[in-house]
Amino acid sequence: MTSRSEAAAGGQGVKSENPSLDRTSLDRTIAEVTRVLLERLELQLDPAEIHADSEFFDDIGLDSAAVLDLVIGLEESFGIDFDIAGSDPEDFRSVRCLARYVESRR
Amino acid sequence: MTPTPVTPTARRLPEETTVAILGGGPAGATTACYLAMAGIDHVVLERAHFPRHHVGESLVGATNRIFDEIGFLEKLDAAGFPRKQGAVWVPKSGKNPHAIRVVPDKTFGGLDYTFHVDRARFDHMLLDHAETLGSPVYQGALVNGVETRDGRIESVQVQHEGETHTLRTRFVVDATGRNTFLGSRFRLLQKDTLFDQYAVYAYWKGVGRGPEETAGYIHIHFLPSERGWVWQIPIDDETTSIGVVTEKADFQRNGQDSEAHYAHHLARNPELSRRLEQATRVSNLRSEGNYSYSMRELVGPGYLLVGDAARFVDPIFSSGVSVAIYSAKFAAEQIAHVVAGERPEAEAFGAYETQMRAGVELWYDFIKVYYKLQNLFTYYLRKPEYRDQLVQLLQGNVYDARGITVLERLREDIRRIESTPGHVLQEGLSDIPI
Ligand SMILES: Cc1cc2nc3c(=O)[nH]c(=O)nc-3n(C[C@H](O)[C@H](O)[C@H](O)COP(=O)(O)OP(=O)(O)OC[C@H]3O[C@@H](n4cnc5c(N)ncnc54)[C@H](O)[C@@H]3O)c2cc1C
């Protein structure tokens, strides 16, 4: 687990050298995460209520099955591999956190 | 021992035989086929008159190998049963079903598919096949007693055509299924403490089978309750078997009758509900419970337990018939060694027990990991580094476990999830020890 968090931290460190580029790329990832979320999951929610800081468990009401479904969607969409068993709960707090995590795995 | 003359049409029970096979389901019939091929004198005692109804309609790819060996595969292929080439898992949300092609090894009989079978017809065909190989099969022959001397079975008591017969025998193969004739009598049976599931099922017509490519697959629809799922198995062009499996406690807690329980759960997976929209039920509801147990011993002096009579865990991976016919093969092979004087009985039967346990334990481990976190399984099926081994297990190739590392990897991952405080998947973990 430590090695993964370090990798994530390192990834962010490299990207922050170019903050403006980083921002747009993160925004795009946030949009894509939101799209996959809406498309794959049957949510009892108005899509307009979902934004970057929506929390998966408290605001969106995901359970672990839905999280896995989302992860599968993101893996397919971004062509990345989540190390789901080794994941940090913090990465799954909000849409933004997850988008950051996705960026770190690319 | 002088073999009793074998006549396939024999109607009167002999007084003596080398092997008495109790039960003529897949395990008993297959044991009979192997013994007939080895020229070993035996009789099959089946209490029912076939065809008789039976649960367990979906086969796995590894069965092709056994059917090929006993010369049954061609008949089976020609019988027009729906071909099976995979499985679809439908998440409880009903969205994003995951289909996995599971194609049997063509080295065994040349087929790249297995079958879904109407068990009444299938079991009948298999038992008939044993008869054509020379097995004396007695239907309507209920075994209701054994006599032992010095701890060894000497004879079995059979009710046949209104008479009670005593059949002296050197060996007994118990293939009585979940009736567990010897296991119950010898107090070998141990109820499974982890699994106590309950199944209710019926036949339907007009069930939507989804996209053409996967219409012939078995479908597992997840339910939003722990260890709850629904099977969808094509029986013929029109008929589909739909079975609801839940924890027995779930059924009892809700205090419903089977009908209400069945209807309640069928409505809980949106994709399944869509598929049933145009469908009508065409059979009575049947239910099965108390089906998970193991046996303290699988063999004893002069006897071996095969198929469900030896062990039954859980039907999630459609392993039952496969285990039944593989155990039949292994048991018949060991009997042949003893009859030929090549091996002492204890050693030969011990070898059978080891072989059978190894395979069934692998299934059991697989089932535990699966129920520990159901959704994780479909996730890993997508990963190339896990998929091949998982598919091998799904096909029923469990008797040679060398090189199967995937279950250990899954267990490691589950342990990591368990030990990470607040892990996102923790809430989905059941309390099954793995
Ligand atoms: C809910 C459920 C779903 C299942 N789904 C599947 C599936 O999809 N695929 C699969 O492969 N398996 C499935 N199974 C398992 C499958 O049904 C069995 O594993 C399989 O039938 C075992 O074969 P057998 O020959 O050991 O026993 P059986 O098929 O039960 O045969 C035993 C025979 O012994 C006879 N008998 C019993 N007692 C006596 C006696 N005293 N004297 C004489 N004869 C006797 C019976 O009449 C019967 O014909 C399922 C099981 C359950 C409970």
Side-chain angles (χ1 to χ4, degrees), chain A residues 62-105:
Chain A
L62 298 193
D63 62 7
S64 65
V67 165
L68 263 179
D69 217 9
L70 175 63
V71 166
I72 290 169
L74 295 175
E75 287 191 340
E76 280 172 4
S77 159
F78 289 97
I80 54 168
D81 187 26
F82 273 62
D83 172 18
I84 187 68
S87 69
D88 184 340
E90 191 54 25
D91 293 332
F92 285 88
R93 202 161 49 79
S94 65
V95 174
R96 187 190 307 280
C97 294
L98 193 58
R100 271 205 207 104
Y101 176 72
V102 166
E103 297 251 295
S104 77
R105 302 294 291 187

Short mmCIF file of all heavy atoms in Angstrom, two decimals, chain A residues 62-105:
data_model
loop_
_atom_site.label_atom_id
_atom_site.label_comp_id
_atom_site.label_asym_id
_atom_site.label_seq_id
_atom_site.Cartn_x
_atom_site.Cartn_y
_atom_site.Cartn_z
N LEU A 62 -23.06 5.37 -3.04
CA LEU A 62 -22.56 4.13 -3.64
C LEU A 62 -22.31 3.07 -2.57
O LEU A 62 -21.98 3.40 -1.44
CB LEU A 62 -21.24 4.38 -4.38
CG LEU A 62 -21.25 5.33 -5.57
CD1 LEU A 62 -19.95 5.18 -6.35
CD2 LEU A 62 -22.43 5.08 -6.48
N ASP A 63 -22.45 1.81 -2.97
CA ASP A 63 -22.00 0.73 -2.10
C ASP A 63 -20.82 0.04 -2.78
O ASP A 63 -20.41 0.45 -3.87
CB ASP A 63 -23.14 -0.25 -1.79
CG ASP A 63 -23.67 -0.91 -3.05
OD1 ASP A 63 -23.07 -0.73 -4.14
OD2 ASP A 63 -24.69 -1.60 -2.95
N SER A 64 -20.30 -0.99 -2.16
CA SER A 64 -19.06 -1.56 -2.70
C SER A 64 -19.28 -2.18 -4.09
O SER A 64 -18.40 -2.13 -4.94
CB SER A 64 -18.49 -2.59 -1.73
OG SER A 64 -19.37 -3.68 -1.62
N ALA A 65 -20.47 -2.72 -4.33
CA ALA A 65 -20.72 -3.31 -5.65
C ALA A 65 -20.69 -2.22 -6.72
O ALA A 65 -20.12 -2.39 -7.80
CB ALA A 65 -22.08 -4.01 -5.67
N ALA A 66 -21.28 -1.08 -6.39
CA ALA A 66 -21.30 0.03 -7.34
C ALA A 66 -19.89 0.58 -7.55
O ALA A 66 -19.51 0.94 -8.67
CB ALA A 66 -22.23 1.12 -6.83
N VAL A 67 -19.11 0.63 -6.48
CA VAL A 67 -17.74 1.11 -6.60
C VAL A 67 -16.97 0.23 -7.59
O VAL A 67 -16.28 0.72 -8.48
CB VAL A 67 -17.02 1.12 -5.23
CG1 VAL A 67 -15.52 1.26 -5.40
CG2 VAL A 67 -17.57 2.25 -4.36
N LEU A 68 -17.15 -1.08 -7.44
CA LEU A 68 -16.45 -2.00 -8.34
C LEU A 68 -16.89 -1.81 -9.78
O LEU A 68 -16.08 -1.83 -10.70
CB LEU A 68 -16.71 -3.45 -7.93
CG LEU A 68 -15.64 -4.09 -7.08
CD1 LEU A 68 -16.04 -5.50 -6.73
CD2 LEU A 68 -14.29 -4.08 -7.79
N ASP A 69 -18.16 -1.60 -9.95
CA ASP A 69 -18.69 -1.39 -11.28
C ASP A 69 -18.09 -0.11 -11.88
O ASP A 69 -17.72 -0.07 -13.06
CB ASP A 69 -20.22 -1.28 -11.19
CG ASP A 69 -20.88 -1.92 -12.38
OD1 ASP A 69 -20.17 -2.58 -13.15
OD2 ASP A 69 -22.10 -1.74 -12.53
N LEU A 70 -18.00 0.89 -11.06
CA LEU A 70 -17.40 2.15 -11.50
C LEU A 70 -15.94 1.95 -11.87
O LEU A 70 -15.46 2.43 -12.90
CB LEU A 70 -17.54 3.18 -10.37
CG LEU A 70 -16.88 4.54 -10.58
CD1 LEU A 70 -17.52 5.26 -11.76
CD2 LEU A 70 -17.02 5.40 -9.31
N VAL A 71 -15.23 1.22 -11.02
CA VAL A 71 -13.81 0.97 -11.27
C VAL A 71 -13.63 0.24 -12.60
O VAL A 71 -12.76 0.59 -13.41
CB VAL A 71 -13.20 0.14 -10.11
CG1 VAL A 71 -11.84 -0.43 -10.49
CG2 VAL A 71 -13.07 1.01 -8.87
N ILE A 72 -14.49 -0.74 -12.85
CA ILE A 72 -14.40 -1.48 -14.11
C ILE A 72 -14.60 -0.50 -15.28
O ILE A 72 -13.85 -0.50 -16.25
CB ILE A 72 -15.46 -2.61 -14.16
CG1 ILE A 72 -15.07 -3.72 -13.17
CG2 ILE A 72 -15.59 -3.18 -15.57
CD1 ILE A 72 -16.15 -4.76 -12.92
N GLY A 73 -15.59 0.37 -15.15
CA GLY A 73 -15.86 1.36 -16.19
C GLY A 73 -14.68 2.27 -16.41
O GLY A 73 -14.30 2.57 -17.55
N LEU A 74 -14.05 2.70 -15.34
CA LEU A 74 -12.91 3.62 -15.45
C LEU A 74 -11.69 2.91 -16.03
O LEU A 74 -10.95 3.48 -16.84
CB LEU A 74 -12.57 4.21 -14.07
CG LEU A 74 -13.66 5.12 -13.48
CD1 LEU A 74 -13.26 5.56 -12.07
CD2 LEU A 74 -13.90 6.35 -14.36
N GLU A 75 -11.50 1.67 -15.63
CA GLU A 75 -10.37 0.92 -16.19
C GLU A 75 -10.51 0.79 -17.70
O GLU A 75 -9.55 0.93 -18.44
CB GLU A 75 -10.30 -0.49 -15.56
CG GLU A 75 -9.82 -0.46 -14.13
CD GLU A 75 -9.48 -1.84 -13.58
OE1 GLU A 75 -9.96 -2.86 -14.14
OE2 GLU A 75 -8.74 -1.91 -12.60
N GLU A 76 -11.76 0.53 -18.12
CA GLU A 76 -11.98 0.38 -19.56
C GLU A 76 -11.82 1.71 -20.28
O GLU A 76 -11.16 1.81 -21.30
CB GLU A 76 -13.40 -0.18 -19.81
CG GLU A 76 -13.44 -1.68 -19.59
CD GLU A 76 -14.86 -2.24 -19.63
OE1 GLU A 76 -15.81 -1.47 -19.90
OE2 GLU A 76 -15.00 -3.45 -19.38
N SER A 77 -12.41 2.73 -19.69
CA SER A 77 -12.42 4.02 -20.36
C SER A 77 -11.02 4.65 -20.43
O SER A 77 -10.66 5.26 -21.42
CB SER A 77 -13.41 4.91 -19.63
OG SER A 77 -13.15 6.25 -19.88
N PHE A 78 -10.22 4.50 -19.37
CA PHE A 78 -8.89 5.13 -19.35
C PHE A 78 -7.77 4.15 -19.72
O PHE A 78 -6.62 4.55 -19.82
CB PHE A 78 -8.60 5.72 -17.97
CG PHE A 78 -9.40 6.94 -17.65
CD1 PHE A 78 -10.56 6.85 -16.90
CD2 PHE A 78 -9.01 8.20 -18.11
CE1 PHE A 78 -11.32 7.97 -16.60
CE2 PHE A 78 -9.76 9.33 -17.82
CZ PHE A 78 -10.92 9.22 -17.06
N GLY A 79 -8.12 2.88 -19.87
CA GLY A 79 -7.09 1.89 -20.19
C GLY A 79 -6.06 1.76 -19.07
O GLY A 79 -4.88 1.57 -19.32
N ILE A 80 -6.51 1.89 -17.84
CA ILE A 80 -5.57 1.78 -16.72
C ILE A 80 -5.93 0.59 -15.85
O ILE A 80 -6.97 -0.02 -16.02
CB ILE A 80 -5.59 3.06 -15.83
CG1 ILE A 80 -7.03 3.33 -15.38
CG2 ILE A 80 -4.98 4.22 -16.57
CD1 ILE A 80 -7.13 4.36 -14.28
N ASP A 81 -5.05 0.29 -14.92
CA ASP A 81 -5.28 -0.82 -14.01
C ASP A 81 -5.31 -0.26 -12.59
O ASP A 81 -4.34 0.29 -12.11
CB ASP A 81 -4.11 -1.81 -14.18
CG ASP A 81 -4.35 -3.08 -13.40
OD1 ASP A 81 -5.53 -3.41 -13.17
OD2 ASP A 81 -3.35 -3.73 -13.03
N PHE A 82 -6.45 -0.35 -11.95
CA PHE A 82 -6.56 0.03 -10.54
C PHE A 82 -5.98 -1.13 -9.74
O PHE A 82 -6.31 -2.26 -10.01
CB PHE A 82 -8.03 0.13 -10.12
CG PHE A 82 -8.69 1.44 -10.37
CD1 PHE A 82 -8.82 1.93 -11.65
CD2 PHE A 82 -9.20 2.19 -9.32
CE1 PHE A 82 -9.47 3.13 -11.89
CE2 PHE A 82 -9.84 3.40 -9.54
CZ PHE A 82 -9.98 3.87 -10.83
N ASP A 83 -5.21 -0.84 -8.75
CA ASP A 83 -4.87 -1.93 -7.83
C ASP A 83 -5.94 -1.84 -6.74
O ASP A 83 -5.74 -1.25 -5.69
CB ASP A 83 -3.47 -1.69 -7.26
CG ASP A 83 -3.14 -2.68 -6.16
OD1 ASP A 83 -3.82 -3.73 -6.08
OD2 ASP A 83 -2.23 -2.40 -5.37
N ILE A 84 -7.10 -2.42 -7.02
CA ILE A 84 -8.26 -2.15 -6.16
C ILE A 84 -8.05 -2.64 -4.74
O ILE A 84 -8.39 -1.96 -3.78
CB ILE A 84 -9.57 -2.70 -6.78
CG1 ILE A 84 -10.79 -2.27 -5.97
CG2 ILE A 84 -9.55 -4.21 -6.91
CD1 ILE A 84 -11.10 -0.82 -6.03
N ALA A 85 -7.43 -3.81 -4.60
CA ALA A 85 -7.24 -4.33 -3.24
C ALA A 85 -6.31 -3.43 -2.43
O ALA A 85 -6.47 -3.28 -1.23
CB ALA A 85 -6.69 -5.75 -3.29
N GLY A 86 -5.36 -2.80 -3.13
CA GLY A 86 -4.40 -1.96 -2.42
C GLY A 86 -4.80 -0.50 -2.39
O GLY A 86 -3.99 0.36 -2.03
N SER A 87 -6.02 -0.20 -2.78
CA SER A 87 -6.39 1.21 -2.90
C SER A 87 -6.57 1.88 -1.54
O SER A 87 -6.89 1.23 -0.55
CB SER A 87 -7.67 1.35 -3.73
OG SER A 87 -8.75 0.83 -2.99
N ASP A 88 -6.37 3.18 -1.55
CA ASP A 88 -6.47 3.99 -0.35
C ASP A 88 -7.90 4.54 -0.27
O ASP A 88 -8.38 5.12 -1.25
CB ASP A 88 -5.45 5.14 -0.49
CG ASP A 88 -5.38 6.00 0.74
OD1 ASP A 88 -6.34 5.98 1.54
OD2 ASP A 88 -4.36 6.71 0.88
N PRO A 89 -8.58 4.36 0.85
CA PRO A 89 -9.97 4.85 0.95
C PRO A 89 -10.10 6.32 0.55
O PRO A 89 -11.12 6.73 -0.01
CB PRO A 89 -10.31 4.67 2.43
CG PRO A 89 -9.33 3.68 2.96
CD PRO A 89 -8.12 3.70 2.08
N GLU A 90 -9.06 7.08 0.83
CA GLU A 90 -9.09 8.51 0.54
C GLU A 90 -9.30 8.77 -0.97
O GLU A 90 -9.97 9.73 -1.34
CB GLU A 90 -7.75 9.11 1.02
CG GLU A 90 -7.68 10.62 1.05
CD GLU A 90 -8.82 11.27 1.85
OE1 GLU A 90 -9.39 10.63 2.78
OE2 GLU A 90 -9.14 12.43 1.54
N ASP A 91 -8.76 7.89 -1.80
CA ASP A 91 -8.91 8.07 -3.25
C ASP A 91 -10.36 7.94 -3.69
O ASP A 91 -10.73 8.33 -4.79
CB ASP A 91 -8.07 7.03 -4.01
CG ASP A 91 -6.58 7.26 -3.82
OD1 ASP A 91 -6.20 8.43 -3.61
OD2 ASP A 91 -5.82 6.28 -3.88
N PHE A 92 -11.17 7.31 -2.85
CA PHE A 92 -12.57 7.09 -3.22
C PHE A 92 -13.51 8.02 -2.46
O PHE A 92 -14.68 7.74 -2.30
CB PHE A 92 -12.96 5.63 -2.97
CG PHE A 92 -12.40 4.70 -4.00
CD1 PHE A 92 -11.14 4.13 -3.85
CD2 PHE A 92 -13.12 4.41 -5.16
CE1 PHE A 92 -10.61 3.29 -4.80
CE2 PHE A 92 -12.60 3.56 -6.12
CZ PHE A 92 -11.35 3.00 -5.95
N ARG A 93 -12.95 9.13 -1.97
CA ARG A 93 -13.81 10.02 -1.19
C ARG A 93 -14.76 10.79 -2.12
O ARG A 93 -15.96 10.70 -1.99
CB ARG A 93 -12.96 10.97 -0.34
CG ARG A 93 -13.70 11.54 0.84
CD ARG A 93 -12.74 12.07 1.90
NE ARG A 93 -11.73 12.95 1.32
CZ ARG A 93 -11.93 14.23 1.00
NH1 ARG A 93 -13.09 14.79 1.21
NH2 ARG A 93 -10.95 14.94 0.48
N SER A 94 -14.19 11.50 -3.06
CA SER A 94 -15.04 12.31 -3.93
C SER A 94 -14.66 12.08 -5.39
O SER A 94 -13.64 11.45 -5.69
CB SER A 94 -14.85 13.79 -3.60
OG SER A 94 -13.52 14.16 -3.91
N VAL A 95 -15.47 12.64 -6.27
CA VAL A 95 -15.20 12.53 -7.70
C VAL A 95 -13.80 13.10 -7.99
O VAL A 95 -13.00 12.49 -8.70
CB VAL A 95 -16.27 13.30 -8.51
CG1 VAL A 95 -15.91 13.31 -9.99
CG2 VAL A 95 -17.66 12.69 -8.28
N ARG A 96 -13.47 14.21 -7.38
CA ARG A 96 -12.17 14.83 -7.62
C ARG A 96 -11.02 13.92 -7.14
O ARG A 96 -10.04 13.73 -7.85
CB ARG A 96 -12.09 16.18 -6.89
CG ARG A 96 -10.83 17.00 -7.22
CD ARG A 96 -10.67 18.21 -6.31
NE ARG A 96 -11.85 19.07 -6.27
CZ ARG A 96 -12.17 19.97 -7.21
NH1 ARG A 96 -11.38 20.15 -8.25
NH2 ARG A 96 -13.26 20.71 -7.11
N CYS A 97 -11.18 13.36 -5.96
CA CYS A 97 -10.13 12.46 -5.44
C CYS A 97 -9.90 11.29 -6.39
O CYS A 97 -8.76 10.91 -6.68
CB CYS A 97 -10.52 11.89 -4.08
SG CYS A 97 -10.64 13.11 -2.78
N LEU A 98 -10.99 10.73 -6.88
CA LEU A 98 -10.87 9.57 -7.75
C LEU A 98 -10.23 9.98 -9.08
O LEU A 98 -9.39 9.25 -9.63
CB LEU A 98 -12.24 8.92 -7.98
CG LEU A 98 -12.19 7.53 -8.61
CD1 LEU A 98 -11.38 6.57 -7.75
CD2 LEU A 98 -13.60 6.98 -8.80
N ALA A 99 -10.59 11.15 -9.57
CA ALA A 99 -10.01 11.64 -10.82
C ALA A 99 -8.50 11.82 -10.65
O ALA A 99 -7.71 11.47 -11.53
CB ALA A 99 -10.66 12.95 -11.23
N ARG A 100 -8.10 12.31 -9.50
CA ARG A 100 -6.66 12.46 -9.22
C ARG A 100 -5.98 11.10 -9.23
O ARG A 100 -4.89 10.93 -9.78
CB ARG A 100 -6.44 13.11 -7.86
CG ARG A 100 -6.40 14.60 -7.93
CD ARG A 100 -5.59 15.16 -6.74
NE ARG A 100 -6.08 16.50 -6.48
CZ ARG A 100 -6.88 16.83 -5.48
NH1 ARG A 100 -7.20 15.92 -4.57
NH2 ARG A 100 -7.33 18.04 -5.37
N TYR A 101 -6.64 10.16 -8.60
CA TYR A 101 -6.07 8.81 -8.56
C TYR A 101 -5.92 8.25 -9.98
O TYR A 101 -4.89 7.70 -10.35
CB TYR A 101 -6.96 7.89 -7.72
CG TYR A 101 -6.49 6.45 -7.70
CD1 TYR A 101 -5.35 6.09 -6.99
CD2 TYR A 101 -7.17 5.47 -8.42
CE1 TYR A 101 -4.90 4.77 -7.00
CE2 TYR A 101 -6.73 4.16 -8.43
CZ TYR A 101 -5.59 3.82 -7.72
OH TYR A 101 -5.15 2.52 -7.74
N VAL A 102 -6.96 8.44 -10.78
CA VAL A 102 -6.92 7.97 -12.17
C VAL A 102 -5.72 8.59 -12.88
O VAL A 102 -4.95 7.92 -13.56
CB VAL A 102 -8.24 8.33 -12.91
CG1 VAL A 102 -8.08 8.15 -14.41
CG2 VAL A 102 -9.39 7.46 -12.39
N GLU A 103 -5.53 9.89 -12.69
CA GLU A 103 -4.39 10.57 -13.33
C GLU A 103 -3.07 9.94 -12.90
O GLU A 103 -2.16 9.78 -13.71
CB GLU A 103 -4.40 12.05 -12.92
CG GLU A 103 -5.63 12.78 -13.41
CD GLU A 103 -5.32 13.75 -14.53
OE1 GLU A 103 -4.60 14.73 -14.25
OE2 GLU A 103 -5.79 13.51 -15.66
N SER A 104 -3.00 9.57 -11.62
CA SER A 104 -1.74 9.02 -11.12
C SER A 104 -1.45 7.64 -11.71
O SER A 104 -0.31 7.18 -11.69
CB SER A 104 -1.78 8.93 -9.59
OG SER A 104 -2.56 7.81 -9.20
N ARG A 105 -2.46 6.95 -12.20
CA ARG A 105 -2.26 5.61 -12.76
C ARG A 105 -2.01 5.62 -14.25
O ARG A 105 -1.82 4.58 -14.85
CB ARG A 105 -3.50 4.72 -12.50
CG ARG A 105 -3.89 4.56 -11.06
CD ARG A 105 -2.89 3.82 -10.23
NE ARG A 105 -2.79 2.38 -10.57
CZ ARG A 105 -2.06 1.53 -9.87
NH1 ARG A 105 -1.37 1.93 -8.81
NH2 ARG A 105 -2.00 0.27 -10.23
#
